[in-house]
Amino acid sequence: MDGLGALVFTAGIGENAPEIRARIAARLAWLGAALDVEANAASAPVISAPGSALRLMVVPTDEELMIAQQTLTLLSPSI
């Protein structure tokens, strides 16, 4: 890889805090990050502005599902 291609915001704060995402994106301007303010406010899947050198994305997670699946695996009898 030749640098950073994308930054993904996820989980509680990453998915639900546009003001935090904006502050982080501003600090990443030196990497070529440019935020689309409207997309960020809407928590769109891609929040980087057209032409941004760094793709900024919001990816939802389902942490409860992952915990439940891992718990089920641990509690299931081994074959």
Side-chain angles (χ1 to χ4, degrees):
M1 292 182 66
D2 187 25
L4 185 63
L7 179 71
V8 178
F9 295 93
T10 192
I13 293 174
E15 291 176 55
N16 302 306
E19 65 282 351
I20 299 294
R21 293 191 303 256
R23 290 172 57 190
I24 292 169
R27 302 269 321 236
L28 296 175
W30 67 276
L31 286 173
L35 185 70
D36 180 321
V37 176
E38 291 179 12
N40 184 43
S43 295
V46 177
I47 60 171
S48 48
S52 177
L54 179 61
R55 191 166 195 194
L56 303 171
M57 304 173 68
V58 177
V59 177
T61 58
D62 190 342
E63 295 161 331
E64 292 83 8
L65 176 61
M66 294 304 299
I67 291 167
Q69 288 175 336
Q70 292 176 8
T71 301
L72 183 61
T73 299
L74 287 172
L75 296 176
S76 296
S78 299
I79 297 177

